[in-house]
Amino acid sequence: MVDQNDGAAELICIVDDDEGVRDSLDNLLRSTGYKVRSFGHPAAFLACDVADAAACLILDVKLGDVNGLDFQQELVDSDAHVPVILISGHGDIPMTVRAMRAGAVTFLTKPFEEGDMLAAIGEALTRDRSRRDANRVEDGLHARYDALTARERDVFGLVTSGLMNKQIAGRLELSEVTVKIHRGNMMRKMEADSLADLVRMAETLRVRENVSRYVRRDVGGSKP
């Protein structure tokens, strides 16, 4: 039985047009402690209101009028990040290569061992947790940045572009003391302990791409 902290709260979705395979997987996963939803066609999966919550998608390659590999690529192209496990009764090397290049966790050939499927699901859930954790961190970072004043954002961008307080003061036509105050408030709101922290945040936020109007060619020297 899966521990509550190791996947019981996470949803596994199955897309396979073979009812027998769906039922078999459903029984295996529920007996192991997972929540499961199964679908006979990709359109049914996409129409389901829990699709975005899926932590793992088990996807058959042969789905009647739909190729599972094509559907996997559609998910990638639409920026859907659910980890995918491909299954097929007629897998071959080109299929496997295509699936893995598109980011599949693995490609299992039917009939597969229960242990292999459970191991693949474990890897998929680890990937999904990591992605969701990273998203939460980034969302928090954006929220902190949004809480900055316009002037604090200016200082953020210039500091992480390599300018000293005196140079920033000249760019923004402020006193150096005022820049230090804005810089201190900005670092406190961003929960940054060092310039290195700020630089990493700026890379994530792409802040430095937006400060070219302030940064001149003499970043390391004096004004022209």
Side-chain angles (χ1 to χ4, degrees), residues 119-132:
I121 290 173
E123 181 179 346
L125 296 184
T126 297
R127 288 190 189 184
D128 190 67
R129 291 176 200 137
S130 296
R131 176 184 64 81
R132 292 180 189 272

Side-chain angles (χ1 to χ4, degrees), residues 9-215:
E10 291 155 305
L11 174 66
I12 312 300
C13 288
I14 304 163
V15 178
D16 195 311
D17 61 356
D18 186 322
E19 184 176 1
V21 172
R22 294 200 307 272
D23 289 345
S24 178
L25 281 170
D26 187 282
N27 290 335
L28 169 66
L29 299 180
R30 289 185 188 278
S31 70
T32 313
Y34 293 109
K35 291 192 289 188
V36 185
R37 293 289 298 270
S38 59
F39 310 88
H41 194 277
F45 167 71
L46 293 176
C48 179
D49 57 5
V50 300
D52 289 340
C56 173
L57 174 62
I58 301 172
L59 178 64
D60 190 22
V61 171
K62 301 294 184 181
L63 293 165
D65 61 336
V66 176
N67 183 306
L69 293 170
D70 290 341
F71 181 61
Q72 179 197 13
Q73 188 61 52
E74 288 177 16
L75 292 174
V76 172
D77 294 342
S78 65
D79 210 25
H81 299 287
V82 58
V84 175
I85 298 170
L86 270 297
I87 59 176
S88 176
H90 307 283
D92 55 30
I93 292 176
M95 282 185 184
T96 303
V97 170
R98 181 180 172 188
M100 301 307 289
R101 283 181 174 174
V105 174
T106 193
F107 191 114
L108 297 177
T109 302
K110 302 174 184 177
F112 41 78
E113 295 292 331
E114 292 183 354
D116 291 339
M117 174 58 75
L118 294 176
I121 290 173
E123 181 179 346
L125 296 184
T126 297
R127 288 190 189 184
D128 190 67
R129 291 176 200 137
S130 296
R131 176 184 64 81
R132 292 180 189 272
D133 287 345
N135 286 346
R136 280 191 288 270
V137 170
E138 186 168 341
D139 288 345
L141 181 59
H142 279 280
R144 295 198 297 276
Y145 182 73
D146 290 343
L148 299 180
T149 66
R151 187 58 80 196
E152 288 165 354
R153 292 180 193 174
D154 291 339
V155 172
F156 186 121
L158 295 172
V159 165
T160 55
S161 293
L163 275 65
M164 305 297 288
N165 287 344
K166 184 175 182 180
Q167 294 171 306
I168 295 171
R171 299 293 188 270
L172 300 179
E173 299 181 349
L174 299 172
S175 71
E176 192 171 347
V177 171
T178 299
V179 169
K180 289 180 179 179
I181 292 172
H182 285 312
R183 181 169 181 165
N185 290 338
M186 175 267 295
M187 290 193 69
R188 175 179 54 80
K189 291 180 181 179
M190 293 303 298
E191 301 177 13
D193 295 324
S194 66
L195 176 59
D197 285 344
L198 285 178
V199 171
R200 285 190 288 270
M201 292 176 182
E203 292 293 341
T204 299
L205 295 166
R206 297 181 177 84
V207 168
R208 287 189 290 176
E209 296 176 4
N210 302 320
V211 297
S212 59
R213 63 193 177 103
Y214 293 122
V215 182

